[in-house]
Amino acid sequence: MAYEDKKTKQQDQKQDDGTCPDSVAKDQAPQKKAFSVREFCAAYGVSRSHAYNEIKAGRLKSHNPGRRRLIGIDDADDWFDRS
């Protein structure tokens, strides 16, 4: 199939009303499950040093997949409820 034909076919498959196709519905987007430290600090109004001190003290649970430190949404809520 020629390049022009593929391009035309792809344009024909797009929906003209600006919505996502049924296979990729917007309401089925995955919910966020964790904060970065920066996002956690912005959401809960604490400094980075305070967040890291809480993690070091064991009062705030975090995970370190690779180089990023993530704080689970549920862990952040539990920390907030305790403080």
Side-chain angles (χ1 to χ4, degrees), residues 70-83:
L70 297 175
I71 301 166
I73 300 290
D74 294 335
D75 295 329
D77 288 340
D78 290 343
W79 172 85
F80 184 74
D81 291 341
R82 284 193 307 268
S83 57

Side-chain angles (χ1 to χ4, degrees), residues 5-57:
D5 293 337
K6 285 183 182 179
K7 189 174 180 180
T8 304
K9 186 176 180 181
Q10 289 173 351
Q11 288 174 346
D12 290 343
Q13 290 176 349
K14 290 182 181 177
Q15 291 186 1
D16 294 329
D17 60 0
T19 62
C20 292
D22 291 335
S23 62
V24 186
K26 289 181 182 178
D27 61 336
Q28 294 178 354
Q31 293 287 329
K32 190 169 193 159
K33 295 182 180 181
F35 289 119
S36 67
V37 173
R38 179 179 290 183
E39 292 169 335
F40 170 79
C41 292
Y44 289 91
V46 297
S47 67
R48 281 185 54 212
S49 60
H50 183 69
Y52 282 111
N53 287 338
E54 293 293 295
I55 291 168
K56 187 176 181 181

